[in-house]
Amino acid sequence: MKKIVHESAKYHVTGEAVYIDDMLVNEQCLHGVLYTSPIAHGKIKSYDLSAAKALSGIHAILTYKDIPGHNQMGPIFHDEVVLAEDKVEFIGQAIFLIAAENEEIAEEAKRLIKIEFEELEPVLTIEKSMELGNLIQPPRKIETGNIEEAFKSAKNIIEDILYVGGQEHWYLETQTALCFPGEGQEIKVYSSTQNPSEIQAIVSEVLGISKMQVEVDMRRMGGGFGGKESEANHIAAWTAILAVNTKRPVKMRFFRDEDQKITGKRHRFLLKYKAAFDNDGIISAIDVEQSTDAGWATDLTMSILERAMMHAENSYYIPNMRIIGNAWRTNLPSNTAYRGFGGPQGMAGMETIIDRIARKLKIDAAEIRFRNFMGMEERNTTPYGQKVENNRLFMLWEQIRKTSDYQNRRKKVDEFNAKNEFVKRGLALTPIKFGISFTTSFLNQAGALVHVYNDGTVLVSHGGTEMGQGLNTKIKQVAALEFGIDYDKVRVNSTNTARVPNTSPTAASSGTDMNGMAVKNAVDILKSRISEFIAKKFNIENADSKSKIENIVFENDTVFDIQNTNRRISFKDAVSASYLGRVSLSSTGFYKTPGVHFDRAKGTGNPFFYFAFGMSVSEIELDVLTGRTKFLRADILHDVGESINPDIDKGQVEGAFIQGVGWVTTEEMKYDGKGNLLNHSPDTYKIPSIQDIPEIFNVNLLQNAPNPNTIRRSKAVGEPPFMLAFSTWLAIKDAISAVTNHEIEPEFRIPATNENILLAIEKIKRF
Ligand code: MTE
Ligand code: QUE
Ligand code: MOS
């Protein structure tokens, strides 16, 4: 296979790539700015906008009363106002919208706004919200077997709480939107969004117009990571309201600190667990209660919680399991989708349980994992009743144990720790199993629109969005491979709601799976039309034997009869002949994932089309006196089926893993007692950088593991490798635990920051 680089790589490097803020606009374009709440909870008593409105260069200062349609922008539940009415519920909540000639004038107007609040007590922690009983939606449950019975007959039981922290998305391009009002009610919206159809829905709702009036266009995002799935709705709604009000193009973009303070993050979780196991470490029962911080509004929280619950067993067979899910309301920004969509938080509980069983029984944790793996033929049902097919865990286990030299290194680490008092090493091997498909079944559909021009070139539109993950590169490859033409003869257009309607978000790692299939469907339709015409043409030109439509093949830039390969025409000539023969050279395509369903009330079903698997081994070195860690080595083996583009997939695995490492190690949100985020820029919020990459980093894709019934036998890759970072997290725990020669269970949480590590060491030393 020819090596194909990311279709935007050159533009990214040269700066030619056009992000929304790079689009050419003229002097008519106004700048939109938010006036936001300085308090986390309170009532708006009064305000005065007159001085601000009088400022020269100000075109509009709007309140919720100026919204032409509904004051509502919740994606699923309608509990999210566009602009505050009489109360504010988090620091950073939008109250007024400002449109000005430039950002400086808008900032000055902000200073001239007078507003008075009556402050109320804010709820800033999950514990406090639980105390007050502030559930944001009804609780959820998944249950299998009989945990009561299993606990009664248990040989060993462990019980504890795990805190799992949130995470800031840190996409390089902050939230942005640009709107152009048109004739009548028409409006064109450029939005940095993973979900153009939802932008269309929200803009039409807040403007009180129908969807046919709203065209949303999205060329590329400078990263999304889930942070532009529903979060992008807000800035698009605000920009659209200002554009319609001023009858001018309006652009809004957040500054980094503003983005970090105002937008939702990965959900933090508090996991309460109880596990029963025998003396070999085989788990018989788990009871887990997942409590999450929804923030002030529901947003995607219930879908995220659902996915957390569906990953509570990770890669293991748990015959008796109960998973309760609760989402709590707080006075913080509404938490949202982030790579893994709850899966990482759910799996963290399971990996902690395994690790604790191993320490309690003094058996290597990797061995305990292996003993509890989901089976190939039996012991292979998830708590929600789906059978795990094409289980790759054993393939991965065999290979990574060898390539990482796990057994030897385990011995070496133990020897090293026996000899060193102030430096300890830690090693861990962890697996992942991640369900592919939206658990909300209707979202598992995609559309495409493929045009073949009569010069033999192809323009592809599809419902997915490019955020750096390489979707458009893979789509280009799929179209070229299916047409049997050169890769450079295909271009993928921007994502546009006027070309492909009613699309799902590009999320749940299913972008290539679904849009790739929709594009293939369109290409198949076009190929059959062209084949029919070309078969006839061959028959007219050669009277000897009949060419049949089924025998026409598209390969190597040509179209030929497989029965008589002399009957051959170039793709370009076939297309131009078809055009002259009045054959339609444009087709839509559609795909829906077969067989997925889930019954929420019962908590059972087959929500996933298939599972992605991976395994990793991490080794770290810990300075016991300072709590500093050094990442010595990581080995990763990840299953992407038959890769459409191995370089892009490897990039996804590395990127996801390191993003996961950031989550489990250095990234931590700190709030003051009033709900102010204290670390809202990269100088205090520590994302991974080059020094955080392991000194030895071996990343490999599992070979000879085609995925049945997917586009070109590939597998989704975007989110699953994020969770490979559990090996890094537990390697750190292993090193801490070595301080007392594994006699005392250390206190541990996500993230294992320098500070948290040092506190854990101090605590076990004092025992
Ligand atoms: N990779 C890059 N470079 N940038 C991103 O924003 N988002 C991730 C993942 N990989 C992301 C990324 C997330 S959260 C998802 S769901 C998938 O990409 C979405 O794209 P896909 O379905 O095409 O894999
Ligand atoms: C994974 C996901 C999403 C999901 C379920 C997953 C996701 C998403 C939704 C969702 C659910 C209901 C809706 C809606 C979206 O569910 O990203 O608009 O009504 O947006 O398992 O990534
Ligand atoms: Mo990814 S969190 O599903 O956008």
Side-chain angles (χ1 to χ4, degrees):
M1 201 199 294
K2 205 168 83 181
K3 207 174 163 86
I4 287 173
V5 300
H6 193 292
E7 106 336 306
S8 296
K10 198 175 101 192
Y11 305 142
H12 289 159
V13 173
T14 58
E16 279 177 274
V18 179
Y19 296 88
I20 290 171
D21 205 23
D22 303 319
M23 288 178 65
L24 295 176
V25 289
N26 66 17
E27 66 289 348
Q28 293 180 331
C29 187
L30 299 175
H31 290 265
V33 170
L34 290 181
Y35 184 91
T36 62
S37 173
I39 61 167
H41 194 198
K43 287 184 187 151
I44 299 173
K45 275 167 55 184
S46 65
Y47 56 83
D48 180 0
L49 305 176
S50 52
K53 277 184 175 171
L55 197 66
S56 154
I58 292 291
H59 287 248
I61 300 186
L62 307 180
T63 74
Y64 75 93
K65 291 177 193 151
D66 302 305
I67 297 172
H70 291 137
N71 184 14
Q72 190 47 246
M73 56 179 181
I76 303 168
F77 298 94
H78 289 182
D79 61 354
E80 208 165 341
V81 288
V82 179
L83 294 174
E85 296 187 1
D86 51 358
K87 59 180 177 185
V88 287
E89 296 180 85
F90 70 100
I91 291 173
Q93 180 170 5
I95 306 174
F96 307 119
L97 296 173
I98 303 169
E101 307 258 315
N102 61 47
E103 276 155 341
E104 289 71 32
I105 296 172
E107 287 302 319
E108 196 174 340
K110 268 162 86 171
R111 284 190 288 274
L112 295 175
I113 288 175
K114 292 191 189 77
I115 184 162
E116 272 187 273
F117 299 97
E118 179 192 328
E119 281 203 51
L120 299 169
E121 174 101 22
V123 178
L124 301 172
T125 61
I126 297 176
E127 288 92 334
K128 181 80 184 288
S129 187
M130 285 165 107
E131 223 177 274
L132 298 170
N134 287 353
L135 276 176
I136 204 159
Q137 298 290 338
R140 299 280 302 271
K141 188 169 92 172
I142 291 174
E143 189 164 13
T144 186
N146 186 334
I147 57 162
E148 314 295 341
E149 286 299 313
F151 276 114
K152 253 187 245 160
S153 57
K155 288 239 165 48
N156 308 287
I157 291 180
I158 50 166
E159 200 174 349
D160 210 342
I161 285 176
L162 175 71
Y163 289 93
V164 179
Q167 189 178 19
E168 159 63 37
H169 297 87
W170 243 97
Y171 28 64
L172 286 178
E173 177 206 28
T174 56
Q175 305 277 349
T176 312
L178 169 62
C179 291
F180 292 89
E183 297 176 359
Q185 295 182 317
E186 278 174 30
I187 183 163
K188 182 150 187 188
V189 181
Y190 291 91
S191 164
S192 179
T193 176
Q194 294 175 240
N195 197 351
S197 285
E198 197 166 77
I199 298 290
Q200 183 190 28
I202 298 287
V203 166
S204 67
E205 189 171 350
V206 300
L207 296 182
I209 59 178
S210 31
K211 287 188 181 177
M212 65 179 177
Q213 306 287 5
V214 184
E215 179 184 343
V216 180
D217 193 275
M218 210 303 296
R219 167 88 267 173
R220 62 167 68 73
M221 282 162 274
F225 307 111
K228 292 173 182 170
E229 227 186 289
S230 59
E231 208 67 49
N233 296 349
H234 310 166
I235 198 159
W238 295 321
T239 308
I241 292 165
L242 285 171
V244 164
N245 186 277
T246 58
K247 299 188 170 61
R248 290 259 217 141
V250 176
K251 178 160 82 178
M252 279 185 90
R253 52 171 193 199
F254 283 165
F255 288 110
R256 174 64 58 188
D257 292 53
E258 191 182 19
D259 194 300
Q260 222 166 322
K261 280 188 214 168
I262 292 176
T263 63
K265 324 214 169 299
R266 178 185 294 286
H267 288 71
R268 52 179 170 171
F269 272 64
L270 194 166
L271 303 172
K272 223 177 128 188
Y273 61 84
K274 186 174 161 187
F277 52 97
D278 68 14
N279 292 336
D280 294 325
I282 309 288
I283 300 168
S284 57
I286 291 179
D287 189 8
V288 58
E289 192 185 326
Q290 304 182 341
S291 300
T292 189
D293 176 358
W296 78 284
T298 311
D299 185 72
L300 303 172
T301 295
M302 296 318 282
S303 305
I304 289 161
L305 180 60
E306 180 171 270
R307 186 168 275 272
M309 295 170 72
M310 285 177 182
H311 286 77
E313 85 285 8
N314 189 7
S315 306
Y316 312 104
Y317 175 66
I318 316 294
N320 304 289
M321 190 162 190
R322 181 172 68 186
I323 308 141
I324 309 267
N326 291 313
W328 302 96
R329 189 193 294 278
T330 59
N331 293 108
L332 290 168
S334 184
N335 288 320
T336 196
Y338 195 141
R339 210 171 197 165
F341 206 73
Q345 295 94 317
M347 280 159 62
M350 186 67 236
E351 287 307 322
T352 292
I353 290 170
I354 294 266
D355 189 82
R356 294 197 60 166
I357 292 172
R359 286 182 205 290
K360 183 148 180 188
L361 299 177
K362 298 200 185 306
I363 302 173
D364 182 41
E367 177 60 28
I368 301 291
R369 290 190 163 85
F370 176 74
R371 290 180 191 176
N372 286 284
F373 276 165
M374 287 259 174
M376 297 293 288
E377 305 294 335
E378 50 186 13
R379 288 170 56 85
N380 63 349
T381 318
T382 64
Y384 46 90
Q386 175 159 6
K387 276 212 168 9
V388 176
E389 278 159 17
N390 302 305
N391 180 345
R392 307 281 189 224
L393 290 169
F394 297 94
M395 242 173 129
L396 291 166
W397 168 262
E398 292 292 327
Q399 292 183 30
I400 201 161
R401 296 262 300 182
K402 273 197 208 109
T403 55
S404 70
D405 194 22
Y406 181 84
Q407 216 57 43
N408 266 327
R409 283 168 63 206
R410 179 76 264 171
K411 267 193 230 120
K412 279 190 194 153
V413 164
D414 293 341
E415 282 164 21
F416 179 92
N417 288 341
K419 278 190 230 136
N420 291 279
E421 189 182 353
F422 298 118
V423 186
K424 298 288 180 189
R425 286 189 180 164
L427 181 73
L429 179 157
T430 58
I432 61 123
K433 164 184 127 281
F434 192 78
I436 302 299
S437 292
F438 289 96
T439 56
T440 303
S441 304
F442 78 87
L443 292 172
N444 296 297
Q445 57 174 310
L449 176 64
V450 177
H451 299 327
V452 181
Y453 292 102
N454 59 10
D455 67 348
T457 62
V458 176
L459 182 67
V460 178
S461 298
H462 61 90
T465 56
E466 175 65 38
M467 56 193 100
Q469 85 278 40
L471 172 61
N472 284 351
T473 311
K474 289 182 177 178
I475 292 287
K476 228 174 116 162
Q477 288 180 269
V478 166
L481 288 164
E482 296 295 328
F483 268 130
I485 58 174
D486 192 70
Y487 174 77
D488 296 327
K489 291 283 183 287
V490 181
R491 191 166 79 85
V492 178
N493 212 346
S494 66
T495 313
N496 188 301
T497 54
R499 284 191 290 271
V500 181
N502 309 318
T503 57
S504 293
T506 304
S509 305
S510 60
T512 302
D513 277 17
M514 297 208 305
N515 296 289
M517 278 295 200
V519 167
K520 179 179 187 299
N521 176 237
V523 172
D524 284 345
I525 293 168
L526 289 164
K527 273 164 67 179
S528 75
R529 285 189 207 147
I530 297 168
S531 295
E532 188 181 343
F533 181 80
I534 295 300
K536 264 191 223 145
K537 182 175 151 68
F538 285 160
N539 291 336
I540 293 164
E541 286 166 4
N542 313 269
D544 51 343
S545 71
K546 291 278 174 226
S547 277
K548 294 202 194 105
I549 302 170
E550 316 79 81
N551 293 336
I552 303 296
V553 174
F554 292 67
E555 228 176 78
N556 293 327
D557 285 303
T558 57
V559 179
F560 61 91
D561 185 336
I562 193 92
Q563 304 285 14
N564 183 348
T565 51
N566 290 328
R567 296 174 174 195
R568 175 182 293 274
I569 180 171
S570 74
F571 179 78
K572 186 176 167 186
D573 290 345
V575 164
S576 88
S578 299
Y579 165 72
L580 294 172
R582 299 190 291 177
V583 173
S584 162
L585 293 173
S586 172
S587 176
T588 59
F590 185 75
Y591 176 74
K592 55 180 176 181
T593 313
V596 288
H597 63 89
F598 182 67
D599 183 331
R600 283 202 174 135
K602 289 196 191 128
T604 59
N606 282 354
F608 302 119
F609 189 39
Y610 62 86
F611 294 91
F613 300 91
M615 236 167 254
S616 65
V617 177
S618 292
E619 184 175 351
I620 67 96
E621 189 172 282
L622 168 68
D623 181 330
V624 176
L625 299 178
T626 63
R628 262 196 70 155
T629 54
K630 201 158 85 180
F631 203 161
L632 300 179
R633 174 169 168 181
D635 292 77
I636 291 174
L637 186 57
H638 193 79
D639 163 30
V640 296
E642 222 158 73
S643 179
I644 292 174
N645 190 319
D647 292 319
I648 284 180
D649 285 351
K650 215 172 150 195
Q652 283 291 296
V653 173
E654 291 171 355
F657 174 71
I658 294 298
Q659 198 168 35
V661 168
W663 174 55
V664 298
T665 59
T666 59
E667 297 184 47
E668 187 171 39
M669 258 90 60
K670 296 269 190 190
Y671 294 93
D672 70 8
K674 289 188 165 285
N676 285 292
L677 179 64
L678 297 173
N679 48 348
H680 44 76
S681 70
D683 54 359
T684 45
Y685 182 83
K686 175 68 180 83
I687 59 170
S689 58
I690 194 75
Q691 307 96 295
D692 302 297
I693 309 297
E695 284 168 15
I696 302 169
F697 197 16
N698 300 319
V699 178
N700 287 295
L701 305 177
L702 182 68
Q703 299 299 306
N704 306 316
N707 194 27
N709 308 316
T710 51
I711 186 74
R712 307 201 74 85
R713 303 172 151 253
S714 67
K715 217 172 225 200
V717 67
E719 295 166 286
F722 181 93
M723 286 147 273
L724 295 169
F726 286 130
S727 66
T728 315
W729 182 57
L730 291 172
I732 295 172
K733 186 179 170 195
D734 190 43
I736 300 173
S737 169
V739 173
T740 60
N741 199 20
H742 308 288
E743 291 301 330
I744 302 165
E745 176 67 30
E747 216 173 83
F748 206 53
R749 60 165 66 192
I750 288 176
T753 57
N754 203 130
E755 187 183 356
N756 290 339
I757 292 169
L758 204 54
L759 287 170
I761 294 172
E762 287 308 310
K763 223 169 190 169
I764 53 174
K765 270 188 179 165
R766 255 184 274 127
F767 248 83

